[in-house]
């Protein structure tokens, strides 16, 4: 069974409280449930004060195959902001008029 969690927005304490309420327990740095996995639905970062901590929780769960994740618009914006403009240009090969 999958539990869907989205819009964490840098609130690690709230995420950990939610996981605990849903029956997950932290073992060796990874939140685990005996029969469930989480699907994180993006927006891990932005706004809250614990963005790095949120990413550590999510990454540990994904690496331990306790969760899956998809990137949200806030992560996409962060990647775009940190990517040099020259690498963001769309390739021209195969485009009409190229």
């Amino acid at each position: 069974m999958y539990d869907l969690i989205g819009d964490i927005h840098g609130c690690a304490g709230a995420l950990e409280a939610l996981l605990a309420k849903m029956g997950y327990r932290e073992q060796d740095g990874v939140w685990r449930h005996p029969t469930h996995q989480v699907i994180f639905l993006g927006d891990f970062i932005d706004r809250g004060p614990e963005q790095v901590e949120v990413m550590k929780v999510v990454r540990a769960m994904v690496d331990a195959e306790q969760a899956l994740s998809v990137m949200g618009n806030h992560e996409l914006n962060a990647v775009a902001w940190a990517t040099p403009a020259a690498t963001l240009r769309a390739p021209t090969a195969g485009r009409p008029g190229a």
Side-chain angles (χ1 to χ4, degrees), residues 1-93:
M1 178 174 284
Y2 293 102
D3 296 311
L4 307 177
I5 300 175
D7 296 304
I8 302 164
H9 290 291
C11 296
L15 172 60
E16 291 177 339
L18 176 62
L19 289 168
K21 189 172 186 175
M22 295 169 61
Y24 289 79
R25 298 293 172 253
E26 189 174 9
Q27 300 170 2
D28 300 320
V30 177
W31 286 87
R32 301 173 185 274
H33 191 284
T35 59
H36 293 203
Q37 282 186 313
V38 172
I39 299 177
F40 289 108
L41 301 175
D43 292 352
F44 310 115
I45 63 172
D46 200 16
R47 299 188 187 130
E50 304 164 322
Q51 297 179 56
V52 172
E53 293 84 353
V54 165
M55 294 310 304
K56 287 180 180 179
V57 169
V58 172
R59 180 66 185 258
M61 290 182 72
V62 169
D63 286 350
E65 299 183 354
Q66 298 300 304
L68 301 170
S69 69
V70 294
M71 188 168 61
N73 64 305
H74 291 271
E75 290 78 39
L76 181 61
N77 289 339
V79 169
W81 184 84
T83 303
T87 63
L88 293 178
R89 291 192 185 115
T92 58

